[in-house]
Amino acid sequence: MALRCCVVQVTRLDTARIRAARRVIDPVFLDTPLYRCEALEPGLGCTVSIKLETANPVRSFKARGTEVVASLLADNASRAAVCASAGNLGQALAWSGRGRGLDVTVVASRFATRAKLDRIRALDAGLELVDGDHEMARERAAAIARYDGIRLVEDSLDIETCEGAATIGLELVDTAPSFDTVLIALGGGALATGVGHVVKALAPEVEVICVQPLGAPALTHSWRQRRVVTTDSTDTIADGVAGRRPIPAVLDDLLLVADDAVLVQEASIIAGMRMLLDHAGLVVEPSAALGIAAILEDRDRFAGRHVVTIVCGSNVDVDAYHRWVGAAPIHRS
């Protein structure tokens, strides 16, 4: 009980606000499928349940947060917002904004996944591309917000994005059979801090493990060293979690709710994507396979456990997906 109180008081998140968020989020994004996937278990050596955050109109969890943001902006005089996005946040903000008559601009890297950029355009948002990575897009979005005097939506820094994602945690602890571990993709940190906050507040015995690619390790290194660690570049197919500059406030929250943060190799991410296709019938983007990758790399750690992994997105370039998953199977010793 002491741990439960400590977490609720010290993180930026508030459990009562998270429960209230469910009332403003379109039900189409709530109560996503949660089920045990027995077909995955022989290859992983543990009990595995999937929380399927791709079964919605934007095919990722991000709209939970943008629905909260958009519900507040709908009452704002400017009714306009801009965000930087690798693709999923932009789609989600465009979807939430379109439904509320908001003027949404998304800034993205020219090298972002084409399918994600096409979807942003299809949702009637303005799209500006920069000749750099996601960090450059963040800088440009901030400049637009200052110049135009509109709302800058910053994923993971804005508490609405974290508390929207945290509603996933409510669904896990309210409906799941007993589980002892949750594996969460770690990018900007909204998903990890949101779900982690709820789990530690309501089911503190559950281990919260964050997973990041070895080629984009900034927030994991920051968590391990308990200080912000930046990197000069990223090198991973998991574009949705490829950040270089962790947000200090997000790290502070993560230090309170995460029990561990691990890094996984690209080959394991691809193997996880292939397993989700072959054994669960799921087409997922690389970030969504991070949990499976973590189990593949450390089967002994998870043996005998009941693990929940959050499948967080399925916006993937079809050609790239076929190159990755269509390759010869990876044989493990």
Side-chain angles (χ1 to χ4, degrees), residues 21-27 29 63-76 78-80 92-104:
R22 285 183 57 88
R23 296 194 290 271
V24 300
I25 297 172
D26 189 314
F29 299 110
R64 291 180 184 251
T66 60
E67 283 287 280
V68 181
V69 171
S71 69
L72 297 174
L73 280 174
D75 297 325
N76 190 289
S78 72
R79 297 179 61 82
L93 186 60
W95 194 96
S96 297
R98 186 180 66 173
R100 293 171 174 82
L102 306 180
D103 182 9
V104 172

Side-chain angles (χ1 to χ4, degrees), residues 188-201:
L191 183 63
T193 59
V195 174
H197 171 92
V198 171
V199 169
K200 287 305 176 186

Side-chain angles (χ1 to χ4, degrees), residues 104-117:
V104 172
T105 300
V106 179
V107 184
S109 168
R110 193 175 304 278
F111 310 106
T113 300
R114 180 178 297 179
K116 295 180 179 181
L117 299 181

Side-chain angles (χ1 to χ4, degrees), residues 7-63:
V7 169
V8 171
Q9 291 175 359
V10 176
T11 69
R12 296 178 301 144
L13 289 81
D14 179 81
T15 304
R17 286 201 309 262
I18 294 165
R19 292 193 183 280
R22 285 183 57 88
R23 296 194 290 271
V24 300
I25 297 172
D26 189 314
V28 75
F29 299 110
L30 298 173
D31 301 312
T32 51
L34 173 65
Y35 58 93
R36 179 179 172 185
C37 188
E38 294 184 49
L40 284 170
E41 295 174 2
L44 297 175
C46 59
T47 301
V48 180
S49 288
I50 286 172
K51 181 62 169 168
L52 189 62
E53 286 297 305
T54 64
N56 63 56
V58 299
R59 297 190 293 190
S60 85
F61 75 94
K62 295 286 189 180

Side-chain angles (χ1 to χ4, degrees), residues 156-314:
S156 303
L157 177 59
D158 288 1
I159 200 66
E160 301 96 332
T161 64
C162 302
E163 292 182 341
T167 60
I168 297 169
L170 291 179
E171 293 167 18
L172 288 177
V173 299
D174 287 347
T175 64
S178 178
F179 63 98
D180 48 47
T181 307
V182 59
L183 295 171
I184 311 173
L186 183 60
L191 183 63
T193 59
V195 174
H197 171 92
V198 171
V199 169
K200 287 305 176 186
L202 303 180
E205 71 282 358
V206 173
E207 186 176 23
V208 174
I209 302 177
C210 304
V211 190
Q212 206 165 29
L214 190 62
L219 193 47
T220 294
H221 287 332
S222 299
W223 182 86
R224 292 175 178 176
Q225 297 182 36
R226 304 187 69 83
R227 64 180 180 85
V228 172
V229 176
T230 63
T231 61
D232 293 330
S233 61
T234 60
D235 183 17
T236 178
I237 62 173
D239 62 297
V241 293
R244 297 189 289 110
R245 302 174 189 168
I247 299 168
V250 176
L251 174 60
D252 290 343
D253 290 340
L254 193 68
L255 287 169
L256 290 167
V257 303
D259 295 299
D260 200 2
V262 301
L263 298 171
V264 295
Q265 300 177 55
E266 298 294 290
S268 299
I269 298 172
I270 293 171
M273 294 170 68
R274 186 179 296 121
M275 287 191 73
L276 286 166
L277 176 64
D278 291 345
H279 302 295
L282 298 175
V283 174
V284 305
E285 60 188 84
S287 301
L290 288 170
I292 301 299
I295 302 172
L296 287 171
E297 291 200 2
D298 198 354
R299 286 184 176 87
D300 289 345
R301 175 176 186 172
F302 299 101
R305 296 193 186 188
H306 183 176
V307 179
V308 171
T309 184
I310 301 172
V311 175
C312 54
S314 64

